[in-house]
Amino acid sequence: MAKEMRSDSNPFSSTKHKHFFVKFAVSLLLIGLSFRLFVSDSISFSSVGETPAIEQATNTESPEANALSIEDKEPGSTDFAVNGSQIQFSNDSAPNRTQILETGECDLFIGDWIPDPSGPFYTNRSCLAIEGHQNCMKNGRPDTGYLYWRWNPVGCDLPRFNPKKFLDLMRNKSWAFIGDSISRNHVQSLLCILSQVEQADEMYHDKEYRSKIWHFPAHNFTLSVIWTPFLIKADVFDDMNGVSSSEVQLHLDVLDHKWTNEYRNFDYAVIAGGKWFLKTALYHENDSVTGCHHCPGKNLTELGFDHAYRKALRLIFDFITGSDHSSFIFFRTTTPDHFENGEWFSGGSCNRTVPSKEGEIDMRDVDITMRNIELEEFEKAAELGSGKGRLKLLDTTRLSLLRPDGHPGPYRDFQPFAEDSFARVQNDCLHWCLPGPIDSWNDLVMEILVNSRLHR
């Protein structure tokens, strides 16, 4: 991009010269300057809407090498230093907008993770909404490099989430996150970012603290999370650690009234599911058992999780597109896990400390199947509901796949190696540390929301 030219005084004197060659020289200079300005303006104009080239840094070290210092201020609690330059909210200036997205030429969900020395909006000290098993820093995670990356879509600039602008847009509105524990993970990230502008008051929680409601009094904004892991009616026999005592009884023709009864109260919602459909389950339709998933010895037809998930999504999208309540709905795609050398119950772990590049990590077959079903059913629903609600895709699957470094791992528990540095502990390679990569999901939500408002 050509630099702006500044002139504090006229470089040419207005004094009349008597000599012809002086006049001729001045004329040549003026012609040259005009041509230079014309070329400069042409370059500047042609670059609008294009992605500025990313300057290649001479320092090729990991962001962890440039991370801010860690301070142990209390036993068993760590925090990273934050200065005023880190917690600066993005402004609304034209260069900070995603110009190409507005013309339909930019895909926010294709890109890579690039170093971001500014770090996250908040710390594990400045936000009180972080649950213990996601507070990786307090629990003793020693590395901090995973905090210094941001999502960079190909072909456009993605501004950082602007909490002040978001709360202003949400004045007198209500928003719900509807789904499983990943949805709760997401809402906690949003709460932490918004808390830098206004602290929310918790108004409600269920017995198990899985569903909650918060209120931001200064903006009269209500934020909810509704725990409904299947989104459809299900009888679940799991304890708080996810251990099942019996098969899930899943009703493929009935939505979970926990969220449908509240649907009309929401101006905005993020709906997501998926992972729970991998559990052993018996499928019901019309009050009869029609088949199952992974139920050997039951003398039932193995229909597979993909059959149930597709049916559930069709039921969900039919409800949304058939409703006369005009709300803005994000559908978030499935979240991949990063267990290696086993699963969550068999010693699987996630010890990586830097993001992966495209092509370095493969998506698991079950995640490919789920995402394909999601994209197919979403496309059908978006066509049917184009004239009613505002249904938007939040396709976080592939960008999340590239962040095997962002999970609590063994640090889902407080100081897991304090007594035994070789202790065998259960790892969490599905949920996300806070702060962590999931914060970038809110950048995407904000961008889609703002651009959609521009086009209403």
Side-chain angles (χ1 to χ4, degrees), residues 147-159:
L147 298 169
Y148 297 92
W149 300 86
R150 68 178 176 87
W151 177 244
N152 181 48
V154 172
C156 58
D157 175 48
L158 177 63

Side-chain angles (χ1 to χ4, degrees), residues 385-403:
S386 58
K388 295 183 180 180
R390 295 178 293 276
L391 187 60
K392 298 291 180 180
L393 186 69
L394 188 60
D395 188 6
T396 57
T397 303
R398 294 208 64 83
L399 64 94
S400 300
L401 178 69
L402 301 179
R403 291 307 305 270

Side-chain angles (χ1 to χ4, degrees), residues 124-141:
N124 62 326
R125 291 181 180 276
S126 68
C127 178
L128 304 178
I130 305 175
E131 292 187 14
H133 57 276
Q134 289 149 12
N135 199 336
C136 302
M137 303 185 73
K138 182 176 181 179
N139 290 342
R141 179 168 174 168

Side-chain angles (χ1 to χ4, degrees), residues 22 30 37 44 78 85 103 172 214 225 247 256 376 418 433 440 446 454:
V22 174
L30 288 173
L37 288 172
S44 176
T78 58
S85 65
T103 63
N172 302 319
W214 298 268
V225 59
E247 303 91 352
D256 187 349
E376 291 164 9
C433 292
S440 289
M446 183 73 178
L454 289 173

Side-chain angles (χ1 to χ4, degrees), residues 443-454:
D443 296 342
L444 297 167
V445 166
M446 183 73 178
E447 187 62 17
I448 296 170
L449 176 66
V450 169
N451 279 312
S452 295
R453 289 179 67 88
L454 289 173

Side-chain angles (χ1 to χ4, degrees), residues 98-108 156 447-448 451:
T98 303
Q99 307 259 354
I100 297 181
L101 178 67
E102 298 174 15
T103 63
E105 298 176 11
C106 171
D107 189 335
L108 288 172
C156 58
E447 187 62 17
I448 296 170
N451 279 312

Side-chain angles (χ1 to χ4, degrees), residues 197-212:
V197 174
E198 182 183 359
Q199 290 285 348
D201 298 325
E202 186 177 312
M203 308 298 293
Y204 164 84
H205 63 78
D206 63 5
K207 183 179 179 180
E208 296 175 329
Y209 289 81
R210 285 172 162 170
S211 296
K212 294 184 178 183

Side-chain angles (χ1 to χ4, degrees), residues 414-435:
F414 182 70
Q415 302 291 338
F417 305 112
E419 297 182 3
D420 181 0
S421 58
F422 298 101
R424 286 192 56 139
V425 297
Q426 182 177 320
N427 284 259
D428 183 351
C429 304
L430 173 62
H431 301 92
W432 304 95
C433 292
L434 293 176

